[in-house]
Amino acid sequence: MTTTILVTIVMLLIWKINIIIVLSFLVIFLGIELVFFSSVLGGVGDGSWIVLVFAVVMFFVMLVWNYGSKLKYETEVKQKLSMDLVRELGPNLGTIRAPGIGLMYNELAKGIPAIFGHFLTTLPAIHSMIIFVCIKYVPVPVVPQGERFLFRRVCPRSYHIFRCIARYGYKDVRKENHQAFEQLLIESLEKFIRREAQERLLESDGDDDTDYEDGCSSTRVLIAPNGSVYSLGVPLLGEYKDT
């Protein structure tokens, strides 16, 4: 019954379907569902109360899950790190930048997650390139593979910190494993750096200034702030195994 009512609202407000067709849909399907619902109510004393109890339990489970998800996201938003604090630490972030790419998964589409500050204060070193990865579901059926990842810089270029938003439609099935997902992510990052380098080249009108990332290099490598060079073609989790 709830689904039928919601679909009716969508037909009226979003799909803009003729009112006669909408009313016909509502009368037919809601009428059938009301018959089933009334039969359940009529047999409560004969055992059909089990169906109602099951429905209430499932509703309570979904309500708690939804509340917990919202509370977790709101907590991350409130506790995110100040951008000014990160800038004060400098490009080395007050620690040692070790060669490699570090992926940090979180729910934030904006800002720096609090867990990053925990890493900076507890770990002896941190990757020379950091990518905050956020997976979001968008209100479209399918997101093309070439448009899956959106990148932008979080800090100035010398910090080598990026944000990646991985977008999925409501019909997309996440079949790729860790290795395939992260390989696609790195390839998309390479395209982003190349496009960024081309834009800077156009803005500088042929200036030969270079950046730490050699995004236009035909060898498909990235150069870290400490001078380390590593290939973009190597999967990040080639040796990874679940423990």
Side-chain angles (χ1 to χ4, degrees):
M1 289 171 57
T2 302
T3 303
T4 301
I5 294 172
L6 292 176
V7 171
T8 302
I9 295 174
V10 171
M11 293 171 69
L12 285 173
L13 301 181
I14 299 178
W15 296 344
K16 307 291 185 182
I17 296 178
N18 187 286
I19 187 64
I20 297 177
I21 299 177
V22 175
L23 289 177
S24 301
F25 167 83
L26 182 64
V27 170
I28 294 174
F29 285 93
L30 191 61
I32 295 174
E33 289 155 2
L34 283 172
V35 171
F36 280 105
F37 186 62
S38 62
S39 65
V40 172
L41 292 179
V44 169
D46 299 326
S48 63
W49 59 269
I50 297 177
V51 179
L52 296 179
V53 171
F54 179 76
V56 171
V57 171
M58 291 301 298
F59 173 76
F60 180 75
V61 170
M62 291 187 288
L63 186 66
V64 171
W65 176 84
N66 183 63
Y67 172 76
S69 299
K70 290 175 62 177
L71 187 62
K72 177 177 178 293
Y73 179 76
E74 291 173 356
T75 302
E76 287 191 2
V77 171
K78 292 178 181 178
Q79 296 180 352
K80 64 182 180 180
L81 294 183
S82 168
M83 191 68 69
D84 294 334
L85 175 62
V86 176
R87 289 196 178 101
E88 289 176 2
L89 294 175
N92 287 331
L93 299 174
T95 185
I96 300 173
R97 303 295 293 269
I101 302 175
L103 302 184
M104 188 171 297
Y105 291 85
N106 64 98
E107 297 293 329
L108 297 180
K110 182 186 296 185
I112 299 177
I115 189 64
F116 184 59
H118 176 71
F119 287 161
L120 291 178
T121 55
T122 57
L123 297 180
I126 198 165
H127 293 90
S128 57
M129 181 173 291
I130 301 295
I131 305 175
F132 299 125
V133 182
C134 175
I135 298 176
K136 294 294 183 182
Y137 288 89
V138 293
V140 296
V142 178
V143 176
Q145 194 70 32
E147 302 175 8
R148 176 83 66 212
F149 301 102
L150 296 179
F151 283 92
R152 68 171 180 268
R153 291 187 182 271
V154 177
C155 294
R157 288 198 299 272
S158 59
Y159 286 69
H160 298 271
I161 301 178
F162 298 84
R163 179 176 309 285
C164 171
I165 300 178
R167 303 181 301 171
Y168 287 87
Y170 52 81
K171 284 188 178 181
D172 280 326
V173 179
R174 295 178 57 190
K175 296 181 180 179
E176 66 267 16
N177 54 30
H178 287 288
Q179 183 175 341
F181 173 83
E182 295 181 0
Q183 183 64 41
L184 290 172
L185 187 149
I186 296 302
E187 291 175 356
S188 300
L189 174 62
E190 178 189 14
K191 294 177 183 178
F192 170 79
I193 293 176
R194 287 183 175 181
R195 184 172 62 252
E196 187 183 54
Q198 291 173 355
E199 292 174 355
R200 291 202 307 271
L201 185 63
L202 292 175
E203 291 176 358
S204 61
D205 193 22
D207 191 6
D208 291 332
D209 290 343
T210 58
D211 191 17
Y212 289 117
E213 295 100 353
D214 189 8
C216 296
S217 173
S218 60
T219 57
R220 301 180 73 245
V221 299
L222 289 179
I223 303 177
N226 56 10
S228 302
V229 180
Y230 45 92
S231 172
L232 286 169
V234 180
L236 292 178
L237 296 182
E239 304 296 330
Y240 176 82
K241 293 183 180 179
D242 291 330
T243 58

